[in-house]
Amino acid sequence: MRDSNKSLFEEALFAPTIPDYQLVRKIGGGAYGQVWMALSVTGAHRAVKIVAREDFRFEKTFEREFEGIKHFEPISRAHSGLVDVLHVGRSFEENFYYYVMELADDRHAAPGVFDPYSYQPRTLCSDILAPGAISVTESIHVGQALAESLHYLHARGLSHRDVKPSNVIFVDGEPKLADIGLVAETGQQTFVGTEGFVPPEGPGTAKADIYSLGMVLYELTTGKDRLDFPELPDDLELSSTDRQDWQALNGIICRCCAADKQQRYATASDLANHLAQVQTPTRGWRSKLEQRSFRHAAAGLVLFALVMMVIASRKAPSPTLPAPTKTLAETPSEPSQPPIEQEVAAPPSAGQLPATRMVTTMADKAYFYSKKGREIGALPLYLNQLRKLTGDEGFVSAPGYGEKDVGVAQLMGTKPSDQSISIALSRSPEPQQGWTSPLGIVFRYDVSKRRHLSIWPLGMKAFERFREQVPAGTITSKNVEQASSKTLFPGSEGIEENLVLTTSGVAERFCKWLSSEPETKGWLRENQYYRPSMKPVFTGRSAGSALQLVYCEISNQ
């Protein structure tokens, strides 16, 4: 019974069909794809990442990512520190590609015990957040393994671009680099990464990956946030031997995280070798690292004091932003390692932009992009952050909203000049993009049907608005019932606690009202309207009845 409930839930979420695999449940996801636990025809549990074309603004970006994963597939299985990609596939009908990976260890289960419905992947992030300190020996082991994995990538002209604790999984107890969807070939220009783990010059180089790994080790060894770097904890409880090892390790971290990339390790292989020598150091080597550690810590405290003095001397604080950089190219010291280049755009010619003025929008998860699709940053952001644009224009995009072209000169001229700049985005459904209605109904764009489809059955919260505005007696216990989402879809994380079960006649009337309601009509184009899609219930007391679940579609006249 539970399997059939899960299958119904997958259907409700429009889960695609993956040949030779049954999708069990979604276990992760982000801006570019969803990760599902899947059961193979041989009975093995795997992780399947599904990447849809609709998640990308540009077709060439989608195709480039697909080519990247095809390139990475054979490389992944040749090194024990990279998550194994077992298969890559593509659906041209539904316009997505997918790849099958080994599944991470369960963070809670005892050895030999596995429950797919309570499974949670073990990541380095979950280890850091778990109670109990992580030993210096374990930290060194993780750092060395990840450094060797990065060197293997770099030696083949690839960079990871998003090394962080949540992207390190454990398989059979050993750490592996995951989220390989962000791995890029030499010359990849897309600006990605996570705040605090990305160096000042931007991602996409060997030394940028080394910087990110240094920040990972900083969080791992100190328990502090990477944004606190280079602050050190004052409550460490270590033996004299462990304290010496920790100080040497901290010296390595400071070198990895140097703001000047020339001061970092030349290669990830050099980093791995130094980590291996922490607990078996050569003569004089440990003392140099310890001196570097204390020097960086002291410099950090002095810098912090100076910054506080500058802020105190001003009426309003200004954000500290990295200075604009020029085009950079990494030239590793090892001949076998090809260069990995990354372009960081010069500032616009409009001159110095105000440092304290904000650019905002009412939309959630809104990002500012250059005209070529390079991410500038999440809104709200400071106006002078737009210096990263190579030209005057860009655009703002957010899930559920249409894109808005924006010029820097246009923003600078917005009055009054001492207030934040709010960018209004269109709320009409756009092809190839997800969308959320005013009543909170979430839609995805179905490429094969060329229309928007709701991803979850209609809930009582939205339906009550309709019930309040129809004549008395229209809605009765005979034509409308409600059921708990937990009853219909065990193990799911539903948008609504109570779902609507009704007849096709009531559903059609609801969609007609939704299309004509002034509050919602303005969000659709003139040729768009809502219509219902009915699906039966297979479990609970309503199973087999005439009352069905309601999904909404947005169609064109």
Side-chain angles (χ1 to χ4, degrees), residues 15-291:
T17 300
I18 304 299
D20 298 326
Y21 287 89
Q22 176 190 347
L23 299 183
V24 179
R25 68 182 183 92
K26 190 168 70 171
I27 57 176
Y32 300 105
Q34 298 179 344
V35 181
W36 289 74
M37 178 192 294
L39 186 65
S40 72
V41 293
T42 62
H45 284 92
R46 305 295 188 194
V48 178
K49 185 163 187 177
I50 301 169
V51 182
R53 165 63 183 88
E54 65 187 52
D55 293 333
F56 294 82
R57 170 173 165 79
F58 300 106
E59 179 74 26
K60 65 180 181 181
T61 307
F62 175 74
E63 294 295 339
R64 183 177 59 202
E65 296 298 325
F66 179 60
E67 290 301 317
I69 192 62
K70 288 198 301 182
H71 183 186
F72 180 78
E73 178 193 2
I75 294 175
S76 71
R77 297 192 297 273
H79 195 279
S80 61
L82 302 174
V83 64
D84 288 354
V85 176
L86 307 173
H87 175 70
V88 177
R90 184 165 183 172
S91 170
F92 290 96
E93 294 77 12
E94 298 185 59
N95 215 2
F96 68 84
Y97 70 83
Y98 66 93
Y99 47 96
V100 182
M101 303 170 286
E102 57 186 337
L103 195 65
D105 297 339
D106 190 337
R107 59 177 295 194
H108 294 307
V113 178
F114 182 77
D115 181 357
Y117 297 105
S118 64
Y119 167 87
Q120 290 185 343
R122 181 191 171 192
T123 67
L124 192 58
C125 183
S126 66
D127 277 17
I128 293 174
L129 296 176
I134 298 175
S135 70
V136 176
T137 300
E138 290 174 313
S139 300
I140 293 171
H141 172 69
V142 169
Q144 185 180 355
L146 297 181
E148 291 172 351
S149 302
L150 285 177
H151 176 67
Y152 186 81
L153 282 178
H154 298 161
R156 284 149 185 81
L158 300 173
S159 63
H160 189 281
R161 299 192 294 170
D162 199 21
V163 180
K164 59 184 179 181
S166 60
N167 284 345
V168 177
I169 67 170
F170 288 85
V171 179
D172 295 331
E174 292 299 318
K176 293 194 174 193
L177 281 174
D179 203 359
I180 41 75
L182 289 178
V183 171
E185 296 183 9
T186 299
Q188 177 65 267
Q189 302 296 316
T190 307
F191 195 99
V192 297
T194 302
E195 181 186 11
F197 293 106
V198 178
E201 73 273 14
T205 66
K207 289 192 175 181
D209 280 347
I210 290 172
Y211 179 96
S212 302
L213 178 54
M215 286 298 180
V216 169
L217 293 176
Y218 173 75
E219 290 196 345
L220 183 63
T221 57
T222 66
K224 300 178 70 67
D225 189 277
R226 74 272 187 186
L227 299 178
D228 294 331
F229 180 84
E231 294 179 15
L232 301 178
D234 53 9
D235 57 350
L236 280 176
E237 297 182 0
L238 298 170
S239 65
S240 58
T241 302
D242 283 345
R243 183 170 294 275
Q244 288 181 349
D245 290 342
W246 183 88
Q247 289 171 348
L249 177 57
N250 193 51
I252 292 177
I253 293 171
C254 289
R255 181 175 175 183
C256 290
C257 300
D260 182 357
K261 65 185 182 69
Q262 299 301 334
Q263 296 181 12
R264 299 175 206 151
Y265 287 96
T267 67
S269 178
D270 292 342
L271 169 59
N273 291 336
H274 270 200
L275 286 168
Q277 296 177 53
V278 169
Q279 294 180 318
T280 55
T282 57
R283 185 174 182 179
W285 180 82
R286 187 200 300 271
S287 62
K288 291 182 180 180
L289 290 177
E290 292 172 353
Q291 291 171 9

Side-chain angles (χ1 to χ4, degrees), residues 220-538:
L220 183 63
T221 57
T222 66
K224 300 178 70 67
D225 189 277
R226 74 272 187 186
L227 299 178
D228 294 331
F229 180 84
E231 294 179 15
L232 301 178
D234 53 9
D235 57 350
L236 280 176
E237 297 182 0
L238 298 170
S239 65
S240 58
T241 302
D242 283 345
R243 183 170 294 275
Q244 288 181 349
D245 290 342
W246 183 88
Q247 289 171 348
L249 177 57
N250 193 51
I252 292 177
I253 293 171
C254 289
R255 181 175 175 183
C256 290
C257 300
D260 182 357
K261 65 185 182 69
Q262 299 301 334
Q263 296 181 12
R264 299 175 206 151
Y265 287 96
T267 67
S269 178
D270 292 342
L271 169 59
N273 291 336
H274 270 200
L275 286 168
Q277 296 177 53
V278 169
Q279 294 180 318
T280 55
T282 57
R283 185 174 182 179
W285 180 82
R286 187 200 300 271
S287 62
K288 291 182 180 180
L289 290 177
E290 292 172 353
Q291 291 171 9
R292 179 186 296 272
S293 171
F294 289 123
R295 185 169 63 249
H296 277 262
L301 293 176
V302 172
L303 178 61
F304 178 75
L306 291 174
V307 171
M308 292 304 294
M309 291 174 62
V310 172
I311 291 176
S313 66
R314 299 181 179 178
K315 293 182 179 180
S318 301
T320 302
L321 296 170
T325 54
K326 299 178 181 179
T327 300
L328 302 174
E330 300 291 345
T331 307
S333 58
E334 296 186 8
S336 62
Q337 180 172 329
I340 303 176
E341 300 178 354
Q342 172 70 16
E343 176 184 345
V344 180
S349 58
Q352 181 63 37
L353 301 177
T356 58
R357 200 170 185 194
M358 300 292 295
V359 180
T360 66
T361 183
M362 295 297 291
D364 293 330
K365 299 180 181 179
Y367 285 82
F368 203 108
Y369 296 87
S370 71
K371 272 296 185 183
K372 293 183 178 180
R374 182 171 63 86
E375 182 183 305
I376 302 300
L379 272 65
L381 50 71
Y382 289 100
L383 186 56
N384 68 345
Q385 287 180 263
L386 299 183
R387 68 172 184 267
K388 298 177 183 178
L389 289 174
T390 54
D392 179 57
E393 294 187 348
F395 66 91
V396 176
S397 179
Y401 293 80
E403 294 164 356
K404 179 72 172 284
D405 291 332
V406 180
V408 175
Q410 169 193 352
L411 295 176
M412 291 182 64
T414 306
K415 304 293 183 179
S417 60
D418 60 345
Q419 295 183 9
S420 297
I421 305 167
S422 180
I423 298 177
L425 300 180
S426 167
R427 294 172 173 174
S428 299
E430 299 287 342
Q432 307 291 340
Q433 297 181 19
W435 187 72
T436 302
S437 79
L439 296 184
I441 303 175
V442 181
F443 292 84
R444 69 180 293 271
Y445 186 76
D446 188 296
V447 178
S448 60
K449 296 182 179 180
R450 296 184 178 180
R451 66 185 61 165
H452 287 81
L453 309 174
S454 65
I455 67 171
W456 188 253
L458 177 64
M460 289 301 301
K461 182 178 179 180
F463 189 78
E464 285 296 337
R465 297 278 297 276
F466 165 68
R467 186 202 293 264
E468 294 170 357
Q469 300 186 36
V470 298
T474 303
I475 306 300
T476 68
S477 58
K478 293 183 179 180
N479 58 20
V480 174
E481 291 182 0
Q482 58 181 322
S484 169
S485 59
K486 293 182 180 179
T487 301
L488 298 182
F489 309 119
S492 67
E493 297 178 356
I495 299 173
E496 292 283 351
E497 175 67 18
N498 293 313
L499 305 177
V500 175
L501 299 173
T502 188
T503 63
S504 58
V506 172
E508 289 174 1
R509 189 162 183 170
F510 169 80
C511 287
K512 185 177 180 180
W513 166 83
L514 197 60
S515 300
S516 60
E517 174 67 9
E519 183 180 339
T520 61
K521 178 60 178 175
W523 289 40
L524 299 181
R525 294 194 180 92
E526 290 298 324
N527 66 332
Q528 293 179 325
Y529 65 97
Y530 295 96
R531 74 177 190 181
S533 175
M534 311 298 292
K535 293 189 178 180
V537 176
F538 298 113

